[in-house]
């Protein structure tokens, strides 16, 4: 009996993690990774912090090096393209440098990730691609290009006020650039927070950088092949402005790299993502997929959900790696989307869908602001939590927070959601209390008291 | 129909909270509190921080003032003793100053609290009570007496290395006193942490203060009516030492103030506590009890558990207050004992019984130490978590932690325990990830991975 050949396409966080867990599951398997880029498994989420200088070098973001894969007996090929998958005969056509060869597999894991969405702005590209001065923000190369352009007082425009756009805005603001964020939607962080909570975050952010919501860029104006300015338009009243620009960074989302899977016959969603189940299986035998190229389901609504957060990618990749190697591992019955960041010194976190996604679920929410410590203990910091519950049964279906230890507080709600916990039980949760740490009743239970009263029309 | 008379005995955190929630439940009820001491509802847990100087004045610990009760139409009587309860005729005999009177009630809430246990040490008392220089640590008066004796370099001995004993030790150490802690058991914090975790905490504490575990004080030696020294004995080898003492603080636990309830006919436990159910009902009609004078059940073992933590007291008091006023509110099916403190800059937290209490439950545990941030992000702080699961079914039954945000991490385990969550589900929990906040896999899920592998004899 020969050893199993497990092949992984892509060595981002998804592919790298999947390969590791495949190896842990079957130590005798031959594991091969083909990565089209220059770097092995690195932290994309760390890029803004190299820009800000918090992390010194881009190379520090490499979480698992070529050496690491070598020592762990995983055969990693960088700068290598998989041209196609022959799923009937379990083989791949590979291009490495000028060489083209065939690789057989017993199990295949597709972790091809996603590429930045480029908006259809007039003159954004020339024949070589994006105009000089316009950058994506997804690879170490992108990061290096941007870092080389940082200059105090120069004008940086960020297109997109999602998590990543605002993280870059924060980083460039720290480098004393003159930062402006352009967002087409009426609200910032629209996939992270409900509008009422986002508005409170917005108040803090606009003390530091300019933000134009409801605006789009209609045209890029260049000079000598370099960006010089842009025309932006207010979507509400069609008013036009000219904006001088030294660098423009595009952060409006991604498109999955799923063509190769589509051509192989994998079932693809309307949004172009590879559809996987809780075992990270695609529609084809022996082919698994994980990461930004995939779509699984959201835990509360059971609707399809694009995988985009690093924390989800690695968990899904564990499932892909273990199962591809003959193990048996399932992701929970859906993604709960626990998410967090720090923007301009303010910690933000959330779990569960934002309210706009609860189409046919009736819900109520409450928001409560308090302090992290008892009133009598000095140094308490503000914390605001919004909790959302199904109004038919009181089940907690979402929570959003900003302020002191928002992420860890949201983790407790994440645990509640995964357990389909009722607001009536959560409000009675014994939280850790000590004067230097937290009050007897933490904001996380008080907000549930408030919502419980609202839900059940009680005064108490 | 006349308004309901609700009487509360005791205005500590239990009585004060119960009265408030009774009033919220029935705005028309007449609520009366009789408190034998000098102060209304104050934070006992805050006392060490007035000693350390973090909080300026003892008066700041008063969470609800006499004025507050007045404004909220709750009739509070300080310095007032309830002499007995006539439960057949629903009336109390009261002594206030020299006046003795009768008070009728429809509902009665007993929140008489507990008093410090005084160990049977030779010459610890004279005819006036404790020898001068020996103090309890439970009331504002105790705190004031101790604070007046703080002097740099003087010798403070703390009897008892539980949470409170060590909090006082930390406070007096901050005031540059020469602090020694004497503990009869082999381990510190024996009701808070398992011995293996306590040992790690011990290493940090003994850099700051001296601790003698396995030691008892056998005799107090005084001079001119003031404490001068003590004889301490090593329980392992009976070796005797003399210890010079300027002040001795007793922190070895409490005894419930339950005589009045016992005389009224309430069912009392072997340990002398008033037995209550999830509605804070005693064995007698219309008599409720809450706080340190009571005993309820522990959530995992379903064994009786003395109520001692402030966070439990106030939750139980909500139940007592609402139900006494005709509402309907239940505590969860047991106490999970979420607890935390900071000792010598180290945050400690735990939930669930310590291992010694799992008599007939077979269990396994794992401990994992990691960092609060991804490796590549500077400033990560150590965090250690021990998790305990029932080895028959994988259910999480305890967790203990020290280090970064230990309390908030333990809150997530508290939520898990209350939901009877399995370690297999917890290990898959999506925790909040962002480089400046937490790694993709938090120590809280990694420790569950480790325990899961151990429990189910898997490599992965």
């Amino acid at each position: 009996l020969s050893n199993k050949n497990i092949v992984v396409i892509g060595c981002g966080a998804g592919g790298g993690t999947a390969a590791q867990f495949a190896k842990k599951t079957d130590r005798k398997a031959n594991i091969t990774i083909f990565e089209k880029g220059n770097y092995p498994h690195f932290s994309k989420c760390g890029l803004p912090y190299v820009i800000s200088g918090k992390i010194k070098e881009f190379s520090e973001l490499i979480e698992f090096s070529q050496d690491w894969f070598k020592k762990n007996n995983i055969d990693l090929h960088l700068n290598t393209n998989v041209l196609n998958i022959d799923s009937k005969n379990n083989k791949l056509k590979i291009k490495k440098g000028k060489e083209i060869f065939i690789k057989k597999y017993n199990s295949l894991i597709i972790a091809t990730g996603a590429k930045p969405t480029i908006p259809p702005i007039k003159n954004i590209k020339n024949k070589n691609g994006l105009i000089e001065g316009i950058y994506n923000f997804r690879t170490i190369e992108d990061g290096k290009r941007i870092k080389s352009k940082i200059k105090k007082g120069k004008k940086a425009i960020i297109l997109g006020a999602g998590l990543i756009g605002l993280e870059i805005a924060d980083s460039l603001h720290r480098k004393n650039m003159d930062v402006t964020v352009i967002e087409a939607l009426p609200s910032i962080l629209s996939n992270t927070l409900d509008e009422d909570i986002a508005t409170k975050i917005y108040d803090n952010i606009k003390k530091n950088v300019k933000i134009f919501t409801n605006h789009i860029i209609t045209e890029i104006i260049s000079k000598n092949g370099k960006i010089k300015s842009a025309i932006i338009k207010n979507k509400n009243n069609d008013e036009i402005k000219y904006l001088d620009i030294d660098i423009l960074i595009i952060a409006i989302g991604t498109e999955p790299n799923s063509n190769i899977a589509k051509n192989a016959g994998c079932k693809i969603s309307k949004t172009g993502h590879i559809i996987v189940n809780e075992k990270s299986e695609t529609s084809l035998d022996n082919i698994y997929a994980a990461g930004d190229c995939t779509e699984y389901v959201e835990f509360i609504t059971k609707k399809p959900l694009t995988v985009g957060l690093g924390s989800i990618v690695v968990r899904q990749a564990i499932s892909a790696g273990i199962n591809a190697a003959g193990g048996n591992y399932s992701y929970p019955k859906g993604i709960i989307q626990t998410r967090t960041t720090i923007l301009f010194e303010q910690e933000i976190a959330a779990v569960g869908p934002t309210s706009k996604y609860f189409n046919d679920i009736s819900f109520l929410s409450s928001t409560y602001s308090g302090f992290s410590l008892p009133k009598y203990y000095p140094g308490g910091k503000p914390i605001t939590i919004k909790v959302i519950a199904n109004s038919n049964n009181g089940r907690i279906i979402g929570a959003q927070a900003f302020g002191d230890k928002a992420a860890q507080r949201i983790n407790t709600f994440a645990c509640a959601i995964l357990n389909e916990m009722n607001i009536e039980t959560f409000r009675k949760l014994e939280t850790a209390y000590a004067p230097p740490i937290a009050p007897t009743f933490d904001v996380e239970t008080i907000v549930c008291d408030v919502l419980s009263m609202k839900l059940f029309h009680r005064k108490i």
Side-chain angles (χ1 to χ4, degrees), chain A:
Chain A
L1 207 74
S2 70
N3 297 342
K4 196 170 186 177
N5 278 317
I6 301 171
V7 176
V8 183
I9 311 179
C11 193
T17 302
Q20 291 176 40
F21 278 80
K23 192 72 189 177
K24 285 185 189 179
T25 305
D26 181 354
R27 292 277 168 201
K28 290 179 180 163
N30 301 313
I31 319 264
T32 311
I33 311 177
F34 298 115
E35 162 60 42
K36 70 170 196 284
N38 231 332
Y39 298 95
H41 188 156
F42 76 94
S43 169
K44 273 189 192 60
C45 307
L47 289 171
Y49 310 100
V50 189
I51 298 293
S52 73
K54 182 79 189 180
I55 298 169
K56 292 275 173 294
E57 303 285 346
F58 286 101
S59 59
E60 292 175 46
L61 297 183
I62 296 172
E63 296 192 86
F64 296 92
S65 65
Q66 279 181 279
D67 263 8
W68 187 94
F69 285 103
K70 200 166 190 174
K71 274 180 198 146
N72 284 273
N73 212 9
I74 295 171
D75 189 22
L76 168 63
H77 300 257
L78 297 178
N79 300 304
T80 305
N81 276 289
V82 178
L83 301 177
N84 69 52
I85 301 166
D86 176 352
S87 59
K88 291 209 179 79
N89 301 298
N90 286 14
K91 61 188 189 185
L92 307 172
K93 189 194 261 186
I94 314 284
K95 186 166 189 284
K96 185 177 189 177
K98 286 181 177 171
E99 189 194 356
I100 289 187
F101 59 93
I102 299 296
K103 174 80 184 175
K104 296 273 288 177
Y105 65 80
N106 299 104
S107 291
L108 176 67
I109 299 167
I110 303 174
T112 43
K115 57 182 172 292
T117 301
I118 307 298
I121 296 171
K122 192 173 170 189
N123 297 329
I124 195 170
K125 286 181 180 176
N126 61 21
K127 60 180 192 292
N128 302 316
L130 290 175
I131 295 287
E132 196 183 329
I134 304 183
Y135 307 102
N136 290 310
F137 190 68
R138 196 163 169 85
T139 64
I140 286 181
E141 287 85 353
D142 292 335
K144 285 182 172 172
R145 271 178 223 121
I146 292 166
K147 197 164 186 184
S148 74
K149 301 292 176 189
I150 291 174
K151 207 167 168 189
K152 189 174 166 178
K154 292 281 182 184
K155 292 180 196 310
I157 312 300
I158 318 293
L159 188 60
L163 275 180
I164 295 168
L166 291 175
E167 283 171 357
I168 314 165
D170 185 347
S171 291
L172 294 177
H173 172 71
R174 278 170 198 274
K175 304 304 280 184
N176 299 304
M177 290 191 80
D178 176 3
V179 179
T180 301
V181 182
I182 314 278
E183 168 60 52
L185 295 173
S187 179
I188 64 168
L189 294 169
S190 64
N191 275 324
T192 303
L193 300 171
D194 284 351
E195 198 165 338
D196 54 342
I197 300 297
T199 300
K200 295 170 200 259
I201 304 298
Y202 187 50
D203 292 341
N204 179 52
I205 296 177
K206 68 187 179 191
K207 288 177 205 153
N208 299 283
V209 298
K210 280 159 280 185
I211 304 192
F212 294 100
T213 52
N214 274 316
H215 278 72
I216 54 170
I217 299 182
T218 56
E219 186 175 347
I220 301 293
I221 297 156
S222 350
K223 194 177 170 182
N224 304 327
K226 280 177 64 176
I227 190 167
K228 190 179 163 290
S229 61
I231 300 174
I232 67 167
K233 189 172 87 171
N234 184 325
K235 286 172 71 189
N236 289 336
N237 56 15
D238 287 347
E239 204 176 277
I240 294 287
K241 260 198 202 73
Y242 283 79
L243 212 61
D244 287 341
I245 300 183
D246 293 300
I247 59 171
L248 171 65
I249 299 171
I250 298 171
I252 59 165
T254 63
E255 285 159 25
N257 294 319
S258 56
N259 272 338
I260 195 173
K262 186 178 176 185
N263 293 336
C266 290
K267 196 170 170 192
I268 303 290
S269 75
K270 272 181 255 174
T271 57
H273 294 82
I274 306 167
I275 296 175
V276 296
N277 63 14
E278 74 286 358
K279 294 183 176 295
S280 298
E281 295 166 335
T282 67
S283 60
L284 296 179
D285 282 352
N286 306 318
I287 303 186
Y288 302 80
D292 295 349
C293 57
T294 70
E295 177 181 291
Y296 178 44
V297 295
E298 192 282 315
F299 187 76
I300 301 289
T301 60
K302 305 299 176 197
K303 298 258 166 69
L305 186 75
T306 296
V307 170
L309 296 164
S311 45
I312 301 170
V313 169
V314 293
R315 282 159 172 78
Q316 201 191 23
I318 289 176
S319 183
I322 291 176
N323 295 325
N328 182 6
Y329 192 95
S330 292
Y331 201 93
K333 282 177 280 172
I335 298 167
I336 59 174
Q337 304 181 78
T338 317
R339 54 202 182 268
T340 187
T341 194
I342 296 178
L343 294 176
F344 303 95
E345 312 286 339
Q346 189 160 54
E347 188 167 323
I348 296 159
V351 60
T354 54
S355 295
K356 65 184 174 190
Y357 291 102
F358 295 127
N359 298 313
D360 40 9
I361 297 175
S362 64
F363 64 92
L364 277 175
S365 67
S366 288
T367 301
Y368 186 86
S369 296
F371 286 87
S372 60
L373 298 180
K375 264 181 272 176
Y376 58 79
Y377 198 94
K381 292 174 192 148
I383 169 80
T384 294
I385 304 181
K386 175 178 186 170
V387 64
I388 308 167
N390 182 317
S391 45
N392 291 319
N393 56 24
R395 183 179 153 194
I396 298 173
I397 56 177
Q400 302 174 17
F402 60 90
D404 185 71
K405 302 187 187 86
Q408 291 295 334
R409 287 185 160 89
I410 284 298
N411 281 347
T412 303
F413 283 99
C415 182
I417 288 175
L418 195 59
N419 283 290
E420 311 191 11
M421 192 177 189
N422 198 286
I423 194 115
E424 287 301 288
T425 312
F426 197 109
R427 67 189 290 227
K428 294 174 183 173
L429 177 67
E430 273 176 51
T431 52
Y433 155 60
I437 296 169
T440 43
F441 297 108
D442 196 278
V443 170
E444 67 198 51
T445 62
I446 298 176
V447 69
C448 291
D449 282 329
V450 175
L451 180 52
S452 163
M453 290 187 253
K454 194 195 250 188
L455 273 168
F456 301 107
H457 311 287
R458 285 195 323 259
K459 285 176 300 168
I460 203 161

